[in-house]
Amino acid sequence: MIVLKDIKKSYQMGDQSIEALRGASLVIKEGEFMSIMGPSGSGKSTLMNIIGCLDRPTSGSYKFDNKEVSQLSDDELATIRNEKIGFIFQSFNLLPRFTAIKNVELPLIYSKLPSVEWHKRALEAMKAVGLENRLNHKPSELSGGQQQRVAIARALINNPSIILADEPTGNLDSKSGEQIMRILQGFNEDKGVTIILVTHEPNIAQFSKRIIHVKDGAVIKDEKVLNN
Amino acid sequence: MIVLKDIKKSYQMGDQSIEALRGASLVIKEGEFMSIMGPSGSGKSTLMNIIGCLDRPTSGSYKFDNKEVSQLSDDELATIRNEKIGFIFQSFNLLPRFTAIKNVELPLIYSKLPSVEWHKRALEAMKAVGLENRLNHKPSELSGGQQQRVAIARALINNPSIILADEPTGNLDSKSGEQIMRILQGFNEDKGVTIILVTHEPNIAQFSKRIIHVKDGAVIKDEKVLNN
Ligand SMILES: Nc1ncnc2c1ncn2[C@@H]1O[C@H](COP(=O)(O)OP(=O)(O)OP(=O)(O)O)[C@@H](O)[C@H]1O
Ligand SMILES: Nc1ncnc2c1ncn2[C@@H]1O[C@H](COP(=O)(O)OP(=O)(O)OP(=O)(O)O)[C@@H](O)[C@H]1O
Ligand SMILES: [Mg+2]
Ligand SMILES: [Mg+2]
């Protein structure tokens, strides 16, 4: 389903070249629940952005459902991003002038759901993450962990077939964090959703079935989670 | 040194009142190393912002070095913030148009250090957090954990007597997180700096000597850390 071969990403800074990814290769099958761990700055978010079709690699091949992503048109990429992928960003990326519930409703623009249904579905998502009494707060009127949970609810609202979660519990106490992980587990086990999760917390990674380790822009280890 | 008595903070949202703090009382002595833990939305950041003189309580008393903070002028408050307190924000608050090193230098405007010394001291701070090869990156050209480390370096640069750290390791792998905690421990043990740390990770709280637990806007538990 997702096949990355020798993915490289570099940034030009003046006369210096920053190698964010130095040849990452990875196969992720449909319905997998995988964690990505590794030191700060090792390339995890860069890898997630490429998988999520938000960024293009400098070189290498990325096949999504057997189609070479670099050959897809902007429209085809937009369709994958809006209909197939739910992305929980490390820095949330909420729209500051919209309420929490409006932020969560937004992706439904790309769904077949009639607009009279949007509020009802967004309300369910907000309840699932424990924010039913924060619907009309703007992001600046929410705590850090509440903003993170709005970002989570927004990523799940369109029933994506792939969820990319970049540090989804970084601002959550253990209890709220485990509640989120059980939601993700439910999507994986009940709906067969593929989940790719970046985390630095081993207890969170234990909810997944496979952990890949990234260091200096490459995959250095690939292990099964045994309690699962 | 810091005495909070029955601190309340509420926000008016239309006809509804949100009680972020419902009467928090706390005594923090000079040189203490204390953690604050509690569920998402329980009032930890609100408490930190009041202690850091960034926000005023709705009611209650806050004495800083025996002076009632609500009676201080804006100038006196600004002096406390700029000269005595180093604040590591949960959402970093870096200036997007300045490089990492420039962001770290900024608080030195309020110090007695001559400007020719600023770059040298900021460079030392960047080295201490492992970012000597990211000096000229803007925040958008840094990973989440690198931005967090710039925010940490910036909070320490003015040799504050109190460090307020709101989830300082939320985006860091365990190794980088422990490196940061050892820096904070050094400030506490070698320089007698008071450290107040919000964290949701028990391993991180273990670096401190006291943990207070917050729930629904009040302090519900106050415990000693025994391994220390
Ligand atoms: N400007 C505001 N207007 C209305 N409510 C607010 C505002 N700022 C914060 N709140 C509410 O106050 C409560 C406490 O917020 P605070 O940021 O202190 O929580 P926290 O303990 O730091 O949470 P987290 O662990 O998620 O960061 C939250 O329920 C939040 O929704
Ligand atoms: N726009 C950019 N220009 C230059 N360098 C960049 C840019 N974006 C990222 N980098 C660099 O690429 C490297 C990888 O960044 P990435 O965000 O993928 O790391 P990460 O593994 O997600 O880190 P963290 O755990 O801290 O979030 C970092 O060293 C970062 O400084
Ligand atoms: Mg990242
Ligand atoms: Mg907070």
Side-chain angles (χ1 to χ4, degrees), chain A residues 45 90 166, chain B residues 143-144:
Chain A
S45 296
Q90 189 170 8
D166 198 344
Chain B
S143 77

Side-chain angles (χ1 to χ4, degrees), chain A residues 134 137 140-146 171, chain B residues 11 13 18 20 38-47 90 167:
Chain A
R134 289 288 181 271
H137 287 233
S140 59
E141 296 167 331
L142 292 171
S143 76
Q146 290 168 343
N171 285 282
Chain B
Y11 296 101
M13 303 266 307
I18 304 282
S40 172
S42 55
K44 308 180 295 297
S45 295
T46 305
L47 187 58
Q90 189 171 8
E167 295 279 1

Side-chain angles (χ1 to χ4, degrees), chain B residues 105-125:
Chain B
E105 278 181 26
L106 275 159
L108 293 173
I109 296 176
Y110 303 110
S111 73
K112 303 200 169 47
L113 204 69
S115 54
V116 290
E117 293 289 316
W118 293 358
H119 182 88
K120 183 154 160 281
R121 193 188 280 190
L123 179 55
E124 285 168 26

